Amino acid sequence: MKKILLTFLFLISSLFSSELFKTGNKLVADGKGVIFVFESATCPYCDLLKKDFKENKEMNELAKNFNIYLIDREKEQDYIVGKTKKKETTTTLRMAFSTKNTPTITIFDKNWNRIFQLPGYAHPEQMITFMKFVKGLHEGKYKTDQWKKFLKDNGVE
């Protein structure tokens, strides 16, 4: 019975995780914020960030307002990006966002305006703050130029 329950829980978590992170080659906003996570298979902080998204209830809930794309720095792939449907490769995306570290987190609003980029791991409290700002931006609570003040007011500097 325990094996059946564990198998069932694994299947449910697999289904859930596939919805949380997008790995396809069409990078779209579809009315949501967008988060690029440049990762690599050898990056323990990438795994920790993904674990945070899955296990932290607030991060997980806020993730519903975003399309989160995992981009493997080491796997050359073609992508179709944004509303312009411009074709890019892993290399051109890495160069465009100057990704030297993994993870590198880049956050856009629903109109593809780059709001923030962090080279490295973001602790759950930081990610929650970043995501709350973009969610509030979409709800009309904030303007893009209030980003730095919002971070400071929320203890992230």
Side-chain angles (χ1 to χ4, degrees):
M1 183 67 176
K2 286 182 183 179
K3 287 183 182 180
I4 293 171
L5 181 60
L6 287 173
T7 303
F8 177 74
L9 290 173
F10 175 75
L11 289 172
I12 294 297
S13 68
S14 296
L15 288 173
F16 175 75
S17 67
S18 66
E19 290 182 22
L20 184 61
F21 301 114
K22 316 281 190 235
T23 56
N25 70 335
K26 292 183 181 176
L27 311 179
V28 297
D30 287 337
K32 296 181 176 187
V34 175
I35 299 175
F36 288 172
V37 178
F38 290 90
E39 64 169 355
S40 73
T42 60
C43 170
Y45 286 103
C46 300
D47 293 336
L48 182 58
L49 181 65
K50 289 186 280 190
K51 181 180 176 190
D52 292 342
F53 268 106
K54 291 176 185 176
E55 294 180 0
N56 184 294
K57 289 180 184 178
E58 191 170 6
M59 277 178 73
N60 193 285
E61 188 63 30
L62 284 165
K64 294 175 184 174
N65 300 288
F66 293 85
N67 285 327
I68 304 171
Y69 294 100
L70 302 175
I71 301 171
D72 187 338
R73 281 180 44 95
E74 298 162 354
K75 180 181 175 188
E76 194 61 32
Q77 184 173 330
D78 292 329
Y79 295 94
I80 311 241
V81 182
K83 56 189 172 189
T84 62
K85 297 181 179 170
K86 185 175 179 186
K87 291 182 182 180
E88 299 285 356
T89 65
T90 303
T91 300
T92 58
L93 286 174
R94 275 194 347 248
M95 291 171 53
F97 297 104
S98 301
T99 61
K100 296 177 183 156
N101 303 314
T102 55
T104 294
I105 303 161
T106 307
I107 302 175
F108 304 86
D109 68 11
K110 64 183 177 183
N111 298 313
W112 285 98
N113 297 308
R114 186 175 4 172
I115 304 299
F116 185 75
Q117 183 165 322
L118 177 69
Y121 171 75
H123 193 272
E125 285 79 23
Q126 291 173 307
M127 280 303 299
I128 289 166
T129 301
F130 303 155
M131 294 165 73
K132 279 183 176 179
F133 178 80
V134 175
K135 182 178 184 250
L137 188 66
H138 294 158
E139 294 169 348
K141 293 180 183 177
Y142 314 113
K143 295 183 179 184
T144 305
D145 63 355
Q146 295 174 308
W147 172 245
K148 288 182 182 178
K149 183 182 181 328
F150 181 86
L151 290 180
K152 186 176 181 180
D153 291 349
N154 286 278
V156 178
E157 295 186 59

